Amino acid sequence: MVLLNLLVKPIAIFGIDAAVQNRVGDADYGIYFSLLNFSFLFNILLDLGINNFTTKNVAQHPEDASKYLNNVLTFRFILFGLYAVVAFGIGYLLNWNGYQMYLLSFLVLNQFIITLISYARSHFGGLLMFKTDAIISILDRFLLIIFFGILIYTPVISAPFKIEWFIWIQTLCYCITLVVAAIMLFSQFGVPRLKFSPAFSYSIIKKSFPYALLIFLMMIYTRIDSVMVERMHANGAVEAGFYAKGFRLLNAFFMFAMIFSSLLFPIFSKMFKQKENVTPLLSTASKLLIGGAILIGIVSFFNSEYILSLIYNNDIAESKVPFQLLMFSFIGMCSTIVFGTLLTAKGDMKFLNTISAIGIVINVTINSILIPKYGATGAAIATVITQSLISLIQFIYSVSVLKMKFTFLAVGRFSIFISLLFTLCFYVKADSGLALFGLCSAGVVGMMLFKLIDLKNLRLILKLKE
């Protein structure tokens, strides 16, 4: 799955998504980006923890899977109705025009289809059908690359490119993927008969509510920025486009960093249950992820214009500062992946939900102050501050609860690594792909020298997962 995602998703993100923004311009893409992130905000209403419940239940009781399939599919259509009402209702309150509501209708539909695909994948995961799960996970992106590769890189259509085309073809790709996933799912469990059970639906909501609430709160303070930029700045659509250019690369790195979360969560959960010491594993994971995020943040800061020029054709200067700030926020996001996953596995949901709610207040407040004047840069500042504060609070709480101790040697290694990397990037600028690769390689070597990458312990993590 990791290999397929590494092959397909970067092409979809930078070869297709970025190319679309280059074609349609920052204003039109900014409107799309704002609406897309808005559709993410209430995505939890489509799931409410059903997928996690399904994976666990199918793995433990595969003979009952078809019975649950009947109930859950009906419940999902009800949730879709609720999600659509909330999305369009708030869109109306935000005074979006007819064109924006038209685009939103397709994005709302896309979110529902994506949720159904994920639901099918949760069955494949529960049945340990990992190859099938891996193929379905990238099929929509693979189709997008083919369809848009034809549109963008061949002279099939001479008319000016429209953002609607991008959304329509996304919908088509999701529909094809859903049909394939449904055929595979029904071949295992038979064609379901829709059936609604209020007691069953309530049971799922009750069990998964704390986790669903956490996802919802985190989604708000990580996705609301672009919506506020488009709504609050005088030139909101264009500023949202500038913000999207920086956010795209951040999101790409974050997707692959999240792979560690899926590895760490079951391991931490089992270790807490068996009352084992999690500190060695926590130390290994935090040094690797946070050290890697620092490397990416510093290299991106000093070489922002060159990196952006590799992907985009215009408005590099306007997108530079938001991009630099967003890449520094990646450090806090990686810290949250480690310590947030640790606390989730430990079951400290009340603390995590409280901190996430505070994060929303901080993020919205700073955005409200800075966006009207500074646009995308103001939103990026809010993101850095919010992610840094939340990750710091989670870190301090984890240290306090687990009674962790830090040696002078460990702190010294981190400090020297950051200082040397900062100095290297200050004096050596990347003016070619080879030079950029050299800087990143030097940083990786530095992480190994200062024991931030420990290959022996990484192999141990994989063995623990098995």
Side-chain angles (χ1 to χ4, degrees):
M1 185 180 292
V2 174
L3 177 61
L4 288 175
N5 277 274
L6 282 171
L7 289 172
V8 172
K9 287 193 174 178
I11 299 175
I13 292 170
F14 300 114
I16 302 299
D17 193 57
V20 169
Q21 184 168 1
N22 286 331
R23 289 292 185 92
V24 303
D26 291 325
D28 285 350
Y29 191 89
I31 292 173
Y32 160 75
F33 185 68
S34 173
L35 293 171
L36 176 66
N37 281 285
F38 176 80
S39 71
F40 276 122
L41 292 180
F42 308 101
N43 180 273
I44 193 62
L45 293 176
L46 291 170
D47 183 57
L48 294 179
I50 292 174
N51 287 347
N52 286 336
F53 169 84
T54 302
T55 300
K56 180 180 178 181
N57 187 72
V58 171
Q60 295 178 342
H61 310 287
E63 68 280 358
D64 294 332
S66 59
K67 179 182 68 176
Y68 289 119
L69 184 62
N70 297 333
N71 289 309
V72 170
L73 277 179
T74 307
F75 186 39
R76 280 210 179 278
F77 281 101
I78 295 173
L79 292 177
F80 174 59
L82 174 63
Y83 167 72
V85 169
V86 171
F88 287 119
I90 296 178
Y92 176 78
L93 293 176
L94 291 174
N95 200 31
W96 275 329
N97 58 37
Y99 174 70
Q100 290 170 314
M101 295 294 275
Y102 170 72
L103 296 182
L104 180 63
S105 64
F106 281 95
L107 295 173
V108 165
L109 176 62
N110 287 352
Q111 289 297 320
F112 179 55
I113 299 172
I114 291 169
T115 304
L116 292 178
I117 294 170
S118 298
Y119 178 58
R121 289 182 56 200
S122 68
H123 286 80
F124 303 143
L127 293 173
L128 308 184
M129 297 169 60
F130 297 123
K131 291 180 181 178
T132 302
D133 188 24
I135 292 171
I136 296 298
S137 73
I138 56 93
L139 181 57
D140 62 296
R141 299 289 107 182
F142 179 72
L143 293 171
L144 189 69
I145 292 169
I146 293 175
F147 293 151
F148 263 99
I150 295 172
L151 281 180
I152 294 176
Y153 299 108
T154 62
V156 173
I157 298 177
S158 58
F161 199 93
K162 295 182 180 180
I163 194 65
E164 295 96 306
W165 299 353
F166 186 45
I167 299 174
W168 293 341
I169 294 183
Q170 279 184 316
T171 304
L172 175 62
C173 294
Y174 291 137
C175 286
I176 294 173
T177 303
L178 177 60
V179 170
V180 173
I183 291 172
M184 292 182 174
L185 181 65
F186 297 161
S187 67
Q188 293 288 327
F189 300 106
V191 179
R193 296 179 180 178
L194 297 182
K195 178 183 177 182
F196 179 64
S197 170
F200 174 80
S201 303
Y202 174 75
S203 175
I204 292 179
I205 294 173
K206 184 178 179 181
K207 290 178 180 178
S208 62
F209 179 76
Y211 301 94
L213 178 62
L214 177 61
I215 294 171
F216 173 66
L217 295 175
M218 292 178 68
M219 190 68 73
I220 289 181
Y221 74 71
T222 55
R223 293 282 182 171
I224 201 171
D225 306 72
S226 60
V227 179
M228 296 183 70
V229 169
E230 193 273 333
R231 290 284 87 191
M232 298 181 67
H233 193 269
N235 197 20
V238 174
E239 288 291 326
F242 297 157
Y243 191 80
K245 288 181 175 178
F247 190 85
R248 181 175 288 111
L249 195 61
L250 171 67
N251 194 43
F253 280 117
F254 184 68
M255 284 195 311
F256 291 108
M258 280 295 292
I259 294 172
F260 255 84
S261 177
S262 64
L263 281 172
L264 292 172
F265 180 71
I267 301 174
F268 280 144
S269 299
K270 184 177 181 180
M271 294 179 79
F272 278 125
K273 184 178 180 180
Q274 297 179 349
K275 298 182 179 180
E276 298 178 15
N277 182 17
V278 301
T279 303
L281 175 60
L282 180 65
S283 175
T284 298
S286 60
K287 286 189 292 187
L288 174 64
L289 272 181
I290 298 173
I294 291 171
L295 168 60
I296 291 170
I298 293 176
V299 170
S300 298
F301 179 84
F302 284 104
N303 301 281
S304 54
E305 289 191 21
Y306 176 71
I307 293 172
L308 288 171
S309 69
L310 293 174
I311 308 170
Y312 308 110
N313 298 331
N314 46 51
D315 299 320
I316 303 299
E318 292 81 358
S319 306
K320 174 183 174 180
V321 175
F323 170 69
Q324 290 174 319
L325 292 168
L326 286 171
M327 294 313 295
F328 269 126
S329 74
F330 184 55
I331 299 171
M333 294 170 77
C334 283
S335 177
T336 296
I337 286 176
V338 177
F339 293 98
T341 300
L342 173 78
L343 295 174
T344 303
K346 191 174 182 297
D348 287 335
M349 302 307 299
K350 183 177 180 180
F351 170 79
L352 289 171
N353 283 319
T354 301
I355 295 303
S356 295
I358 293 172
I360 293 174
V361 174
I362 294 171
N363 188 264
V364 172
T365 301
I366 298 175
N367 274 324
S368 300
I369 296 170
L370 297 182
I371 285 177
K373 185 175 181 179
Y374 299 105
T377 300
I381 291 172
T383 298
V384 173
I385 293 174
T386 304
Q387 294 290 350
S388 300
L389 283 176
I390 288 179
S391 62
L392 180 62
I393 293 171
Q394 289 181 349
F395 170 75
I396 293 172
Y397 181 81
S398 299
V399 170
S400 173
V401 169
L402 298 176
K403 297 180 173 56
M404 297 168 56
K405 295 181 180 179
F406 297 93
T407 64
F408 176 78
L409 180 61
V411 176
R413 283 173 177 168
F414 243 114
S415 301
I416 295 173
F417 168 73
I418 294 172
S419 300
L420 290 177
L421 181 62
F422 191 92
T423 304
L424 174 66
C425 291
F426 181 82
Y427 287 105
V428 180
K429 297 295 189 297
D431 54 2
S432 67
L434 183 62
L436 183 63
F437 177 77
L439 281 175
C440 294
S441 299
V444 172
V445 171
M447 290 180 67
M448 290 182 176
L449 290 175
F450 289 99
K451 298 292 181 69
L452 302 184
I453 295 179
D454 192 326
L455 297 178
K456 181 180 178 181
N457 282 347
L458 284 176
R459 285 194 292 268
L460 178 62
I461 292 176
L462 294 176
K463 287 181 180 179
L464 284 170
K465 180 64 169 62
E466 293 169 3

